[in-house]
Amino acid sequence: MTRLHAGNPLSDSPDPVRAMLDSMAAWTGAPENEAQCPVRDVLDRVGQKWTLLILVALEPAPKRFSQLQRQVGDISKRMLTQTLRQLERDGLVSRQVFPTKPPSVEYALTGLGRSALAPIGALLVWADSNHGAIRASRAAFDAEEVA
Amino acid sequence: MTRLHAGNPLSDSPDPVRAMLDSMAAWTGAPENEAQCPVRDVLDRVGQKWTLLILVALEPAPKRFSQLQRQVGDISKRMLTQTLRQLERDGLVSRQVFPTKPPSVEYALTGLGRSALAPIGALLVWADSNHGAIRASRAAFDAEEVA
DNA sequence: GATAGGTGGTCTATTTATGAGACCATATCT
DNA sequence: AGATATGGTCTCATAAATAGACCACCTATC
């Protein structure tokens, strides 16, 4: 991870990342065909409050519906259901019903879902190591505002 | 990038990422002190429709307000203003006013902002290479639903 | 000299997303 | 009988995002 903190972090990044960002910046624009733009498509999912949190929660092991709800804590059943359905539809999570009484349902990451956790993890590592700087910047900004 | 596609992508990931995910999964739970949890904090930002898109748009070069709006395309002025203010407060973007007539305002990535683009770029690369699989999964899911 | 266009925004009204919580059928334990 | 757990759905209220009018200012065009 040291590379991420030295010099210009971007020019230190693997080529594909830099190239992707450059080419991507070119077509950030409004997509005529929504589904055709991978960036928008994935970013829309990512930009849904619970998606990443649930993927991370499923990483250590598969979990049942109410286990998930207890772990995430402040998610409503409604949003949990909705988010899980979407993730299942996208193929990131699998859903398996067991004929217990009452029936229990187990959610697990698929291979695709697991592969998503690599970039997501990188983002969280960044978040963790830069959280201090962000909080400091906010404090400074707010201090100026008041003045 | 080959490593990301072979076997279990997670166990191939650098240790810090795996460790982060594991420790993170433990405290996905509702934070008593919101600001204390880096995950929630950053994920809340990331989980805001335009944040990432704007960061990516600023990567190639600093841009003015209306340049940004034109490039992103379907963002409203209101959301653009709001998102830029947040990013400025968080220290990811800098705002500089030039005394032209009418005055123009230039937004640029700070060092912190640039450092964020490394993990974000990784996410976009993932999005791009797995978009096909996701679309296929959706098609299959929807086909079952109807049946 | 009126008109259209560009600058960076703010403000209001409407649509969309999220949240809180009741409700359901079934079965187990107390 | 009454409480607890299973995985949801449903309705209603609140929070967030969107479109689009509006503003003050200046320039170039007609």
Side-chain angles (χ1 to χ4, degrees), chain A residues 39-112:
Chain A
V39 195
R40 293 298 190 113
D41 202 1
V42 171
L43 251 44
D44 276 3
R45 282 282 173 283
V46 165
Q48 264 167 286
K49 201 159 185 172
W50 302 105
T51 311
L52 297 189
L53 225 39
I54 288 180
L55 287 177
V56 171
L58 284 178
E59 187 269 331
K63 289 194 176 58
R64 279 175 300 109
F65 185 86
S66 37
Q67 267 183 308
L68 269 174
Q69 195 185 7
R70 273 190 295 272
Q71 181 175 344
V72 175
D74 55 351
I75 189 176
S76 65
K77 287 183 169 187
R78 193 180 178 283
M79 289 316 293
L80 183 54
T81 304
Q82 194 176 108
T83 308
L84 283 170
R85 284 280 134 73
Q86 271 186 335
L87 288 172
E88 188 196 356
R89 189 171 102 102
D90 287 356
L92 302 189
V93 156
S94 69
R95 177 178 184 273
Q96 194 178 359
V97 183
F98 292 95
T100 56
K101 287 174 184 179
S104 55
V105 181
E106 191 178 85
Y107 293 93
L109 290 176
T110 62
L112 189 57

Side-chain angles (χ1 to χ4, degrees), chain B residues 2 6-7 20 39 51 74 91 93 102 125 130:
Chain B
T2 323
M20 178 63 53
V39 195
T51 311
D74 55 351
V93 157
V125 170
N130 293 97

Side-chain angles (χ1 to χ4, degrees), chain B residues 13 21 23 31 56 81-82 87 93 101 127 129-130:
Chain B
S13 300
L21 281 169
S23 72
V56 171
T81 304
Q82 193 176 109
L87 288 173
V93 157
K101 288 174 183 177
S129 44
N130 293 97

